[in-house]
Amino acid sequence: MKVYKIFKDSIGQYEAVKQGWSWPAFFFEGIWACVKKMWGVGIILIILSIILSFLILELKNW
């Protein structure tokens, strides 16, 4: 059974948001955040992923 939360914004519009696990957010966190218009979080996650990838490659070659 799907569970939803109902939110109301300042102008009186309602929106139902499904609660639960998001596999796309788990596997593609930076891209998913940018698609959901969370630009700051998405860009930070993408940059951190790139930096960690380079660090891991450097540690392997050390």
Side-chain angles (χ1 to χ4, degrees), residues 32-49:
W32 178 87
C34 288
V35 167
K36 297 295 181 178
K37 297 183 182 173
M38 294 185 280
W39 306 111
V41 174
I43 291 170
I44 289 171
L45 287 170
I46 290 170
I47 290 170
L48 283 175
S49 296

Side-chain angles (χ1 to χ4, degrees), residues 48-61:
L48 283 175
S49 296
I50 292 169
I51 290 171
L52 287 174
S53 297
F54 280 121
L55 286 174
I56 289 170
L57 288 174
E58 286 299 318
L59 287 174
K60 278 183 153 182
N61 293 330

Side-chain angles (χ1 to χ4, degrees), residues 23-34:
W23 285 106
F26 179 73
F27 286 112
F28 309 105
E29 63 273 353
I31 297 168
W32 178 87
C34 288

Side-chain angles (χ1 to χ4, degrees), residues 1 3-4 7 10-13 18-20 22 24 30 36 42-43 48 53 55 57:
M1 182 169 109
V3 177
Y4 291 87
F7 294 97
S10 60
I11 59 173
Q13 293 180 336
K18 185 175 78 167
Q19 300 296 296
S22 173
K36 297 295 181 178
I43 291 170
L48 283 175
S53 297
L55 286 174
L57 288 174

